[in-house]
Amino acid sequence: MYKYKCVTGYENTTRAIFVGEGEYDIPIIEPTKITENKFIGFNEVLSSKQNNCGVHFFLDDYQFQRLWNTPDKYIEMLKRFNCVLSPDFSLYADYPKALQIYNHYRKHWIGAYLQLNGIEVIPTICWSDEKSLDWCFDGEPKGGTVAVSSVGTQKAKESKQLFLNGYNEMLKRLKPETVIFYGKVPEECQGNIINIKSFQEKFRSVK
């Protein structure tokens, strides 16, 4: 059961304030055991004729900023789909810490709000560098299904190692039953993985 209150003037609108977890009061996303192997990007939701699939946010942030700005506009639209991943607001290691935490908060606020409105939400787990491991799992459920993406992390040795460190920490702390993995799966990654080809992989395969 979600506990929340509404505050006028927060982000220039009326928003629910959820009971949070950790130092930064991150809204809690409840666990789900639903799994899915077909996804479309949020940028396709308006034009897509298929709805027997899930919705992901592994896109540039500007393509789903509108969901944060006007979430109620998309509730009924997203209810048509099997599930929705929590939005993947960027946590780049070179972002200021305050911005990273803000993006983590926004991801969780949207996830909790969609769940409050009856939408099946799979939490997207994100991290940046070692310092982010202090707070990046706040609000995430233990057990159940989670989603991650390796896109943009595997080309450089340092970024790959940061990804693997965070992935292994996720397994240790959250103990997910299933990992929906968007993008190439490094051979070091363990777990019950459902691999979803990224747009880039699909594009390369048809060239």
Side-chain angles (χ1 to χ4, degrees):
M1 179 69 68
Y2 281 105
K3 296 181 180 179
Y4 68 96
K5 59 182 178 179
C6 288
V7 177
T8 302
Y10 165 42
E11 288 284 337
N12 299 317
T13 186
T14 300
R15 286 194 182 272
I17 302 294
F18 295 94
V19 171
E21 179 178 71
E23 181 180 359
Y24 305 106
D25 295 323
I26 304 299
I28 296 169
I29 296 176
E30 298 296 328
T32 180
K33 294 190 176 182
I34 192 172
T35 58
E36 180 63 60
N37 60 11
K38 294 187 295 184
F39 285 87
I40 63 170
F42 180 72
N43 57 333
E44 301 176 69
V45 164
L46 288 173
S47 59
S48 177
K49 295 182 180 180
Q50 65 169 320
N51 53 32
N52 187 25
C53 61
V55 177
H56 75 76
F57 293 85
F58 297 125
L59 309 161
D60 291 331
D61 290 18
Y62 77 87
Q63 298 197 66
F64 53 90
Q65 175 67 32
R66 52 197 164 120
L67 179 60
W68 171 254
N69 293 339
T70 54
D72 290 329
K73 182 178 179 180
Y74 300 97
I75 295 295
E76 293 305 317
M77 196 178 308
L78 291 173
K79 282 182 177 180
R80 296 190 292 114
F81 297 90
N82 295 340
C83 60
V84 178
L85 304 190
S86 54
D88 183 41
F89 290 106
S90 296
L91 297 185
Y92 294 122
D94 58 354
Y95 274 11
K97 180 180 179 181
L99 181 54
Q100 293 185 49
I101 294 169
Y102 176 61
N103 280 348
H104 182 62
Y105 179 91
R106 293 199 295 166
K107 176 184 72 172
H108 277 261
W109 189 95
I110 291 292
Y113 192 67
L114 294 182
Q115 285 187 330
L116 183 65
N117 282 276
I119 294 172
E120 197 74 55
V121 174
I122 295 175
T124 303
I125 313 301
C126 312
W127 56 90
S128 57
D129 55 17
E130 294 292 338
K131 294 179 181 178
S132 73
L133 302 181
D134 292 337
W135 48 263
C136 72
F137 300 113
D138 289 349
E140 307 291 9
K142 292 180 173 61
T145 304
V146 300
V148 300
S149 172
S150 64
V151 174
T153 66
Q154 301 301 298
K155 291 183 178 180
K157 183 178 180 180
E158 182 180 2
S159 60
K160 180 178 180 178
Q161 190 59 53
L162 287 173
F163 177 84
L164 293 175
N165 291 347
Y167 185 88
N168 290 332
E169 193 67 20
M170 175 196 73
L171 295 181
K172 176 182 175 182
R173 296 197 198 183
L174 304 183
K175 297 178 172 56
E177 293 184 10
T178 305
V179 179
I180 294 176
F181 203 118
Y182 183 81
K184 184 178 179 180
V185 181
E187 61 182 15
E188 298 93 336
C189 290
Q190 300 180 351
N192 178 28
I193 293 172
I194 298 176
N195 188 211
I196 309 296
K197 284 188 176 182
S198 68
F199 173 80
Q200 294 88 342
E201 289 175 301
K202 292 178 181 178
F203 180 78
R204 285 194 293 267
S205 68
V206 298
K207 288 182 68 176

